Amino acid sequence: YYVEDPPGVPEDASRAVIARYARGEDYHDVVKDKLVSLARWLDTKIDSKLHARAYVDTGPILERDLAQRAGLGWFGKNTMLINPQRGSYFFLGLLLLDIELPSDEPFAEDHCGTCQACLDACPTGALLGRDGSGAPIIDARRCISYLTIELRGPIPVELRPLMGNRVYGCDICQEVCPVNRKAAASQEPAFKKRHDFDAPELLPLLEMDDEGFRARFRDSPIKRTKLVGMQRNVCVALGNIGDPVAIPALARALRESDTLVRGHAAWALGRIGGPQTASTLQSALASEHDNEVRKEIEASLADMAVPATGG
């Protein structure tokens, strides 16, 4: 599914960075359709009726372990399955069958060696090397992919500045992997990047409504974050940029959005700073009733050395 970054990304801080796997159609549907087609083909090649079930991240199946046992690659220090020819920019699917098939030899070698490019590059320090058995270790609670997609609550304050302008997933540990220097651009039409998923501007993402979010990301894995999660992530990105042009949009989010978004908007405004921001935060504090949001506002005012005079 590899696609090139557009010019200026991720350096252009006004634009959001979305993980490559989510820049096309939803891989769950695309890969599952291919597995179902494969099952139908297999059914024409045997005498009895074939029973099959396809999984693509949709059941309690350890796809990576089975892929390693099937000889497809090894577990890199970034926890990804890495194929020596294709790198790690690929999806895994599984087809359960009720017929016996010849098995391949497991992939036994570890090609990472002494390289720890991914460990050194991870902004949040989520990658922790290997344990005594050689298995890669990750603190998923620090992984940007987890923070921007799976985490439903507030992003830990100490990790927010490390996320940059990444609002959905992260490819850093794959981008620095030497094996991925060979990665070829995807030839699958469904995985070709869409213009509006490539590197969208941050401010319009913050100002979307629920209907607009569902329409824009209907056939994309990005819909998993839901609108609230995306807006939370965008607030963090805008805070990291620190551009005062975002103040009006963040001020509206501080007044009108879900409590989760309001809290992160307060943090972002505190990062931008300035008299206009201080006034906005004090005004919001006077009318805010949610304790967690109030704490975010008070912390931002404290960081700016401004008295928390509201309410």
Side-chain angles (χ1 to χ4, degrees), residues 118-130:
C118 57
L119 277 68
D120 295 338
C122 180
T124 59
L127 299 174
L128 303 174
R130 297 191 185 276

Side-chain angles (χ1 to χ4, degrees), residues 18 178 189 230 251 266 283 303 308:
I18 291 173
M230 176 58 73
S283 176
D303 289 342

Side-chain angles (χ1 to χ4, degrees), residues 11 14 55 59 99 119 139 172 211 226 260 263 282 295 310:
E11 291 77 15
S14 69
Y55 285 99
I99 58 173
L119 277 68
D139 184 348
I172 292 174
E211 182 179 353
K226 304 189 183 316
L260 183 65
Q282 288 177 322
K295 290 177 183 177

Side-chain angles (χ1 to χ4, degrees), residues 134-156:
I137 311 170
I138 182 172
D139 184 348
R141 298 167 299 177
R142 301 183 67 87
C143 176
I144 293 176
S145 286
Y146 167 75
L147 295 171
T148 56
I149 303 172
E150 303 300 334
L151 179 64
R152 298 305 182 190
I155 295 171

Side-chain angles (χ1 to χ4, degrees), residues 63-85:
E63 288 102 335
R64 285 180 303 168
D65 295 81
L66 292 171
Q68 183 272 331
R69 290 168 59 184
L72 295 182
W74 78 96
F75 288 148
K77 292 178 183 176
N78 61 1
T79 77
M80 308 291 290
L81 188 83
I82 304 176
N83 179 277
Q85 283 76 44

